[in-house]
Amino acid sequence: MSLEYYLILSALLFTIGVIGVLIRRNAIIIFMCIELMLNAANLAFVAISRSLGQVEGQLFVFFVMAVAAAEVAIGLAIIVSVFKHRETINVDEVNSLKG
Amino acid sequence: MNPEMILFFIFGAVSLIGAIAVISFRHPIYSALSLIVTFFAQAGLFVILGAHFVAAVQVIVYAGAIMVLFLFVIMLLNLGTLSAKGALTGKLKGVAIILGILLAAQGIYIAVNALNNTEVGSEAAQEKAAALTNNPIETYDIGELLFSKYLLPFEVTSLILLAALIGVIVLVKRENQTEN
């Protein structure tokens, strides 16, 4: 089983995440698509880690997961507070910096 | 067709279908559930790759903690009724999908070709990978490296989590509590 298959799958998952960010206007779904992209990167990390026989790839997956967890917590808190002020989370309607 | 390949295609197909479902469903709850399916399929891929600990963490942290957070917020905001017009339509959607296909083509091109001349794609690396299949990376190795060579990044990660914790509390704190 060669590395290329995993990298192609990773590229496809990343692309689906990018398309989701581009076409969806719901902030929560945009966040899910960002998680999808981070996961695609994780898959590439682990695949290359095995291919090179190095542990570092798996280590960086943990760092990515920690950053993803922090990002989700902050992002969802921002979404909740935006919703409190604006009664919407459609990113096209949330277009001014002043709350 | 060896068993690893069959499992790879099963898990790969499930994760791709789940990912497409995430961006297709109108209701955010369905998207979140599809994302959980994708995460589980990716955990399966990690098991195939011999990264058992990463797979366990994937299920516990992503499919467990992060998705519970998502579902909690979706239900807290009661978004189901608001998200009917949650997607681009017409020309803009077409442009987005064309750009996405271009990006996918680039990614596949890199995955197939660019590795040929690098260390990762070399014969030695392939042989090493074949040897590793019998001797996979253990959780022990990860822990040893994490607490020796990468101790500083590990501690910085804890600072990031602390900053996130404080940031969330500040963001969602009720404003009238400051008056008391």
Side-chain angles (χ1 to χ4, degrees), chain A residues 24 26, chain B residues 26 79-87:
Chain A
R24 295 306 299 258
N26 186 324
Chain B
R26 274 180 173 246
L79 288 174
T81 50
L82 288 168
S83 58
K85 47 175 180 174

Side-chain angles (χ1 to χ4, degrees), chain A residues 1 3-4 6-7 9 13 15 22-25 28 35 39 50 53 56 58-59 62-63 66 68 93, chain B residues 4 8 23 25 39 42 45 48-49 53 58 62 79 85-88 100 111 115 120 132 142 146 150 157:
Chain A
M1 193 71 200
L3 178 63
E4 282 91 10
Y6 289 100
L7 291 184
L9 179 65
L13 284 170
T15 309
L22 289 176
I23 67 173
R24 295 306 299 258
R25 302 291 86 193
I28 287 193
E35 293 304 308
N39 257 280
R50 190 189 66 163
E56 270 87 350
Q58 297 193 18
L59 264 179
F62 291 121
F63 294 134
E93 293 169 31
Chain B
E4 189 195 345
F8 169 79
I23 65 170
F25 276 125
F39 285 160
Q42 288 209 355
L45 288 171
I48 299 174
L49 284 165
F53 189 50
Q58 166 94 3
Y62 265 115
L79 288 174
K85 47 175 180 174
L88 288 186
L115 287 175
V120 188
L132 270 174
I142 299 171
L146 188 64
Y150 292 95
T157 306

Side-chain angles (χ1 to χ4, degrees), chain B residues 25-43:
Chain B
F25 276 125
R26 274 180 173 246
H27 201 297
I29 291 274
Y30 295 150
S31 292
L33 294 176
S34 314
L35 195 56
I36 293 176
V37 172
T38 304
F39 285 160
F40 270 105
Q42 288 209 355

